[in-house]
Amino acid sequence: MVERADSGAVAAETSVVPGVGQRRRGWVLAGVAVVLGGVLGFHRLVPNWPGRVGSLLESFLPWGGVLVVVLLVVALVRRSAVALVALLLPVGVWVDTFGGLLLPGEEGGGRELVVVQHNVSDENRDPAGTARALIEAGADLVALEELVDPQVAAYEKALAADYPHHVVRGTVGLWSKHPLSGEQVVDIKPRTIEEGWSRGLRAVVRSPYGDVAAYVAHLPSVRVGVSGLASQRRDESAALLGRAIAGESVEPVILLGDLNGVVEDRGLRPLTSQLAFAESGFAFSFPATFPLARIDQVMARSAIVGHIRTLPATGSDHLPVVARVALE
């Protein structure tokens, strides 16, 4: 009788413990969901030290949606009602922040320019083929970075028929179907980089809809290491470019460039605080083999950047991006 009573007590314990453990796991999932929602919604409050952790987080912020999906699957498997309710927070924040990028975008109106932005890579072995691929987009403007000899001549030759107007300054260039004027270098060189580094230009495009100030820029690269994100030079260059654009007298303004940062990255605030960016389309452009982020950007002032998308891979480690810019 005693043995039966003991075995009954043990059975009662084992029947209760799994339920308790399941509820605990549900609350843990709910806690993770709330934290994820907080990070997505208040990423600006994450300190940028040590190692510029805030910028690093923001560089991959859209991928928080993948974590939401993983948590959702686990919550469904666990049949945790509390976790499912808590997941409404990160789902809502992600949709509010990035949901619009999933939409196709509005049809373009009459006053618009089609623009292409592409870091062609200084190791590109097929510049002529890259140029032909870009021509197929039928853009009004084509901005290129990492232009080096002897590839520059190859791009000039391949693009000449479709883009009779162009300017190259340093390692960046702009090709246009419309006349250009006021071509000049934009000094965005950080103090710690040696002389001869030139990655910014400005020109006025004589478009059918009036003058447009076009900027082409290639900000310094960033690196991720054991100490975090090394983006000091990129941030300094972005501030210099932001000041130049802030003083621009011609409107509208279009910025095309490899900015080595996503629009959520606080390091690009000198630009994103005064320029609009794409309203739809993720257009992850780097690396070309498995794109994780869009660091090739199209931004504008007194204009609306509509849907942005990538073009097929070229001989570069970046994908080209193409966007429609509606002039106000």
Side-chain angles (χ1 to χ4, degrees):
M1 292 295 293
V2 174
E3 290 182 358
R4 282 196 297 271
D6 291 343
S7 61
V10 172
E13 289 178 3
T14 56
S15 65
V16 171
V17 171
V20 173
Q22 191 172 29
R23 286 195 296 274
R24 287 176 179 172
R25 286 192 293 270
W27 281 105
V28 170
L29 285 174
V32 173
V34 170
V35 170
L36 178 57
V39 170
L40 290 173
F42 300 98
H43 57 90
R44 295 289 185 197
L45 300 181
V46 176
N48 217 22
W49 52 268
R52 282 177 160 73
V53 64
S55 283
L56 182 60
L57 168 68
E58 289 160 348
S59 297
F60 300 99
L61 206 60
W63 292 98
V66 175
L67 297 179
V68 173
V69 172
V70 171
L71 289 176
L72 177 61
V73 171
V74 175
L76 289 173
V77 171
R78 298 293 186 185
R79 297 180 180 179
S80 172
V82 66
L84 289 172
V85 171
L87 274 167
L88 292 175
L89 175 61
V91 168
V93 174
W94 191 94
V95 170
D96 180 65
T97 306
F98 301 108
L101 297 177
L102 298 172
L103 301 177
E106 297 180 2
E107 293 293 329
R111 289 174 50 84
E112 70 174 18
L113 297 175
V114 178
V115 300
V116 164
Q117 150 60 29
H118 191 28
N119 179 327
V120 294
S121 175
D122 54 9
E123 298 180 353
N124 194 323
R125 297 182 179 181
D126 186 21
T130 297
R132 288 193 297 271
L134 300 179
I135 290 171
E136 292 180 1
D140 295 275
L141 303 176
V142 175
L144 304 181
E145 298 83 45
E146 290 199 13
L147 294 170
V148 295
D149 292 327
Q151 295 179 1
V152 176
Y155 288 112
E156 289 175 334
K157 180 180 180 181
L159 294 170
D162 293 89
Y163 298 93
H165 312 282
H166 84 282
V167 54
V168 175
R169 294 289 186 270
T171 59
V172 299
L174 176 67
W175 274 257
S176 173
K177 290 185 175 181
H178 314 297
L180 300 175
S181 65
E183 301 93 335
Q184 64 188 68
V185 170
V186 178
D187 185 7
I188 59 172
K189 183 182 76 65
R191 290 165 294 179
T192 56
I193 294 182
E194 61 186 18
E195 294 298 328
W197 188 95
S198 180
R199 292 188 180 184
L201 70 79
R202 176 259 193 195
V204 175
V205 181
R206 306 292 186 184
S207 83
Y209 318 111
D211 290 352
V212 176
Y215 284 74
V216 181
H218 183 191
L219 301 190
S221 300
V222 300
R223 295 288 184 270
V224 180
V226 292
S227 60
L229 186 71
S231 64
Q232 295 91 332
R233 288 178 171 178
R234 192 276 314 272
D235 296 351
E236 182 181 349
S237 190
L240 292 170
L241 180 58
R243 283 200 287 269
I245 293 176
E248 177 59 58
S249 59
V250 176
E251 298 286 346
V253 175
I254 298 177
L255 169 62
L256 304 152
D258 173 3
L259 304 186
N260 273 303
V262 300
V263 295
E264 292 81 19
D265 189 334
R266 67 192 67 185
L268 298 186
R269 283 291 294 168
L271 302 171
T272 55
S273 62
Q274 60 176 316
L275 299 171
F277 38 87
E279 296 183 335
S280 67
F282 281 96
F284 292 158
S285 62
F286 183 83
T289 52
F290 189 80
L292 294 172
R294 185 178 79 238
I295 62 176
D296 295 274
Q297 305 291 355
V298 177
M299 300 182 184
R301 187 173 69 208
S302 299
I304 298 173
V305 182
H307 185 74
I308 189 169
R309 61 184 176 88
T310 57
L311 297 175
T314 65
S316 172
D317 55 344
H318 291 240
L319 295 178
V321 298
V322 58
R324 293 182 177 273
V325 180
L327 308 179
E328 295 180 354

